[in-house]
Amino acid sequence: MTQFDNNTSGLEYELVSFKLCPYVQRSVITLREKGVAFKRTDIELSNKPEWFLRRSPTGKVPMLLVNGNTVLFESAVICEFIDETTPGSMLPENPLERAYHRAWIEFGSTILNQIARYYSAESEVDFNLAAQNLRASFARVEAEMVLPFFSGESFQIVDAVYAPIFRYFDVFEQHLPAAVVAEQGIFDGYDKIAQWRRHLQARPSVIHAVAPDYPEGLIAFVKNKTSCLANILNQAKLAPA
Ligand SMILES: N[C@@H](CCC(=O)N[C@@H](CS)C(=O)NCC(=O)O)C(=O)O
């Protein structure tokens, strides 16, 4: 059983991570926004170390190891813990608005599942269907958001959640043939999201939540799949310049 101390200052943090994980990125962005020092330990999910499996009940990253003994898991829990124990807040004060943010954070996880279906879809029909489902989800987000960030001037946890979502498309849009991007039109007409994406891309906490070789890592990860997107990316490489 874990023992707890009321004093949460001066704690040491180790964030167990995987270099491509969007849930890890939320936690890293929150830690960086709050100026919290932490050690990042990347593991391979295809070969999880024994020490990680012993400590993590879910076998998922992120896992936050606090003072070398307390294990926290689930990115939303980690983000809120960091937020609560540092000055300022990345969640609204008003309980209804706070619940509203948590709802849209949860919707961010739904979108991440749709993204996984997008890059894993085996047939062209399923691939295009996944694109249309993503477009429908982003229509909901477009209708809710303010600017420059989700709820206006301040960068909050909900922004930390959507930044890794958009990062997938920053990379895919650069590597996919323009005709595929245009035909799917996932973000067509979503002007607020377009501006939000630019604000998020410029945010230092977002930039430094992944290593500089993230784009190549993501493309290699997708190309290794048996999927429609993998086929397109593999063919794009072979196409004459
Ligand atoms: N609900 C979890 C989801 C975390 C999650 O799904 N992480 C993935 C990597 S992005 C993972 O560790 N998967 C375990 C595996 O692939 O074996 C959270 O918010 O932290």
Side-chain angles (χ1 to χ4, degrees):
M1 200 179 82
T2 307
Q3 300 294 311
F4 300 101
D5 192 324
N6 277 341
N7 184 3
T8 52
S9 66
L11 296 176
E12 277 187 18
Y13 300 113
E14 179 177 359
L15 190 72
V16 183
S17 306
F18 168 61
K19 61 182 181 171
L20 299 177
C21 177
Y23 299 96
V24 164
Q25 290 179 53
R26 300 173 175 184
S27 315
V28 173
I29 293 168
T30 305
L31 283 155
R32 286 184 172 270
E33 287 289 333
K34 286 303 195 91
V36 175
F38 66 100
K39 176 186 168 199
R40 177 173 177 155
T41 302
D42 282 334
I43 60 168
E44 286 304 328
L45 293 178
S46 53
N47 184 21
K48 295 175 189 165
E50 190 49 44
W51 58 262
F52 169 70
L53 289 172
R54 243 193 343 265
R55 301 201 103 144
S56 166
T58 60
K60 292 182 181 181
V61 292
M63 180 183 96
L64 186 71
L65 196 54
V66 183
N67 270 0
N69 52 48
T70 307
V71 170
L72 294 183
F73 48 94
E74 287 299 325
S75 57
V77 173
I78 293 170
C79 290
E80 289 203 21
F81 167 70
I82 294 300
D83 189 46
E84 279 174 9
T85 52
T86 46
S89 182
M90 291 174 67
L91 274 173
E93 230 175 87
N94 173 306
L96 179 58
E97 199 183 351
R98 196 158 62 238
Y100 166 83
H101 272 227
R102 289 187 176 124
W104 285 96
I105 287 169
E106 194 51 39
F107 194 62
S109 300
T110 301
I111 294 180
L112 286 174
N113 291 333
Q114 291 181 322
I115 292 174
R117 283 197 283 277
Y118 179 73
Y119 63 60
S120 306
E122 292 192 10
S123 70
E124 201 179 325
V125 170
D126 287 345
F127 177 54
N128 286 327
L129 181 65
Q132 290 322 300
N133 288 339
L134 280 162
R135 177 163 173 72
S137 292
F138 287 126
R140 299 295 187 129
V141 176
E142 172 80 8
E144 290 302 316
M145 65 154 318
V146 186
L147 273 176
F149 296 110
F150 182 80
S151 261
E153 289 301 322
S154 57
F155 182 101
Q156 296 182 292
I157 293 177
V158 66
D159 297 287
V161 166
Y162 282 84
I165 289 174
F166 297 134
R167 199 194 304 273
Y168 278 104
F169 296 97
D170 297 342
V171 176
F172 291 156
E173 286 165 7
Q174 278 200 340
H175 287 79
L176 279 173
V180 174
V181 177
E183 194 192 320
Q184 293 189 330
I186 294 176
F187 293 101
D188 280 3
Y190 300 161
D191 296 338
K192 286 195 284 183
I193 288 184
Q195 290 183 60
W196 188 23
R197 282 177 73 173
R198 284 195 289 277
H199 293 300
L200 294 173
Q201 282 163 356
R203 192 91 178 173
S205 64
V206 172
I207 295 170
H208 298 295
V210 291
D213 66 353
Y214 170 88
E216 297 83 60
L218 176 62
I219 293 300
F221 167 80
V222 175
K223 278 184 172 177
N224 250 330
K225 294 192 162 287
T226 309
S227 75
C228 187
L229 181 58
N231 287 344
I232 295 172
L233 291 171
N234 281 315
Q235 281 162 16
K237 191 187 159 208
L238 300 177

